[in-house]
Amino acid sequence: MDITAALKAGRQAAAATFTDTVKIARSTGNVVTDPITGVVTEEVITVYEGPGKIQATGASVNTPNAGGAQFTVESMSLHVPIGVGPFLISDPVEIVASPLNPQRVGQIFRINGLIEKTHATAQRFKVERITA
């Protein structure tokens, strides 16, 4: 089997594990004012919404203190199909559907590392979840 055929098979197998729907957004840097309420909000665009998964990469949890408050930072990885994006460091990732684990819906992570690889079966990114 040549590398192209092996990658195609590997990508199909990886995609079968993407049972969650993730949404990755990004601020445009602009603000918008609601014409009815007058509320000013940051303009955000959806960079990607589709299949993906987030999984633990090991027991990497930190509990730093900042301003007298303690919070937990969990390191995980995001897997999405090859060719979607591009994503940037600090892009937020939200789980918008998770049929096999509904309690994950609404969880938000932040991309904090871009993992590059020549013969990848999926795009993988380091992400972190910060909880108070």
Side-chain angles (χ1 to χ4, degrees), residues 20 54-58 60-64 71-78 91-95 101-113 125-132:
D20 292 341
I54 292 181
Q55 65 183 35
T57 56
S60 180
V61 176
N62 295 312
T63 53
F71 54 95
T72 302
V73 179
E74 299 174 83
S75 296
M76 300 183 180
S77 67
L78 164 69
D91 281 348
V93 179
E94 179 181 2
I95 297 177
N101 192 354
Q103 70 183 10
R104 297 196 71 183
V105 173
Q107 290 181 350
I108 298 177
F109 303 83
R110 181 179 64 210
I111 293 177
N112 70 344
F125 302 90
K126 293 179 182 181
V127 295
E128 60 188 9
R129 176 173 51 181
I130 302 171
T131 54

Side-chain angles (χ1 to χ4, degrees), residues 7-71:
L7 275 175
K8 183 177 180 182
R11 288 174 180 174
Q12 289 173 340
T17 69
F18 301 158
T19 57
D20 292 341
T21 300
V22 298
K23 179 180 178 181
I24 299 160
R26 181 175 306 136
S27 171
T28 65
N30 298 322
V31 293
V32 288
T33 304
D34 184 298
I36 297 170
T37 65
V39 174
V40 178
T41 57
E42 187 176 30
E43 182 181 49
V44 175
I45 59 168
T46 298
V47 179
Y48 172 73
E49 186 168 348
K53 72 177 180 181
I54 292 181
Q55 65 183 35
T57 56
S60 180
V61 176
N62 295 312
T63 53
N65 287 301
Q70 186 172 20
F71 54 95

